[in-house]
Amino acid sequence: MRNPRIYTPEALAAGVTLALDETAAHHVGKVLRMQPGQPLVLFNGDGNDYPSELAEVGKKSVSAQILDAVPNRTESPLRIVLGQVISKGDRMDYAVQKSVEMGVDTIVPLTSERCDVRLKGDREDKRVRHWQSVAISAAEQCGRARVPTVEPVQSLDDWFHYSAHCDCRLVLHHRTTQALGSLATPAQGVALLIGPEGGLTAEEIQAAEAAGFLATALGPRVLRTETAPVAAMALCQWLWGDGQ
């Protein structure tokens, strides 16, 4: 069985004994019920895994001794930035979780005309923190070297500017014949725009195209909003990343 992987934002180095933060300590001590002397792996997004051993598991604190630093080779050479219009319930959680598993670099929650979820103020901040927590858990589970960033919620217009650095910018649209396999290998990354459950409006797709996005189809079937990013990233990784 693979040793548990735990994310921490702290600086890590071999020989250091580190007190885990409240969330990690709860997971290790209460959920996994681990005991002193048991192995685990820490990581903080610097590209390394840190094999460690639990030094203390108490009611108020959990600490681990870092034994080594080992390069982690799980990050894809292809940078993928996902613009995902917010969806209801656990659909957004699913999109975030599976996108992390597929190697996404950054996730940007978006609003659009047909978006049924309206977030403001503290409620918006709380949801973004929740999605970041989902991304951390997914990175721990799938063995990634770093945790993708979940950015604050943006409008479509802001997203068009935000993603301008990517040289391959795609808006998924089933009513087109343009396929991913016909595109050149991107050098500066891929930006994927995924619409809401009701789809992007014709005007929004036209605005995306005017901003430099290419309408692209994954096939003749209509994909759900939480399924589309997973399917698109799998194809992108197979064509241009580490999926071959």
Side-chain angles (χ1 to χ4, degrees):
M1 181 180 294
R2 188 179 68 177
N3 293 333
R5 299 181 75 253
I6 302 296
Y7 171 78
T8 174
E10 302 295 331
L12 302 175
V16 172
T17 298
L18 178 74
L20 302 184
D21 62 32
E22 183 178 353
T23 300
H26 175 80
H27 185 66
V28 168
K30 301 297 184 182
V31 179
L32 299 180
R33 298 183 181 275
M34 296 181 69
Q35 300 297 319
Q38 289 189 297
L40 71 163
V41 176
L42 301 178
F43 72 106
N44 64 359
D46 67 358
N48 292 323
D49 280 345
Y50 292 84
S52 305
E53 184 178 277
L54 283 177
E56 177 190 6
V57 181
K59 292 183 179 180
K60 296 185 178 180
S61 64
V62 175
S63 61
Q65 183 179 15
I66 301 172
L67 306 176
D68 199 1
V70 180
N72 182 312
R73 308 297 187 190
T74 58
E75 292 302 305
S76 173
L78 178 66
R79 184 166 187 256
I80 302 177
V81 181
L82 172 65
Q84 176 83 35
V85 175
I86 302 170
S87 52
K88 290 181 179 179
D90 61 358
R91 292 176 180 174
M92 190 69 179
D93 287 10
Y94 181 93
V96 170
Q97 181 189 68
K98 300 309 175 185
S99 295
V100 173
E101 293 178 23
M102 293 310 305
V104 73
D105 183 271
T106 306
I107 299 169
V108 184
L110 301 176
T111 58
S112 72
E113 183 175 331
R114 292 174 178 163
C115 178
D116 291 330
V117 182
R118 302 297 176 183
L119 302 173
K120 292 183 179 180
D122 292 343
R123 186 163 175 254
E124 178 180 311
D125 293 341
K126 183 178 180 180
R127 293 309 295 170
V128 171
R129 290 195 300 271
H130 168 74
W131 294 323
Q132 186 66 71
S133 177
V134 171
I136 289 172
S137 296
E140 290 174 338
Q141 182 276 324
C142 72
R144 287 192 60 173
R146 60 175 298 273
V147 176
T149 299
V150 179
E151 295 283 3
V153 178
Q154 297 181 13
S155 67
L156 284 179
D157 285 341
D158 289 340
W159 161 248
F160 296 154
H161 292 290
Y162 177 90
S163 60
H165 62 281
C166 295
D167 59 339
C168 181
R169 305 168 75 199
L170 308 173
V171 52
L172 297 193
H173 183 37
H174 67 281
R175 295 189 183 92
T176 181
T177 58
Q178 178 71 58
L180 279 177
S182 64
L183 304 180
T185 301
Q188 302 298 324
V190 177
L192 290 174
L193 172 55
I194 308 295
E197 296 167 55
L200 296 170
T201 66
E203 292 76 15
E204 288 170 335
I205 292 173
Q206 290 172 1
E209 292 178 318
F213 281 76
L214 178 67
T216 309
L218 300 182
R221 291 166 296 281
V222 179
L223 301 181
R224 296 175 69 97
T225 183
E226 71 272 26
T227 308
V230 184
M233 288 183 204
L235 288 172
C236 288
Q237 292 289 16
W238 184 75
L239 289 168
W240 308 311
D242 59 3
Q244 297 186 27

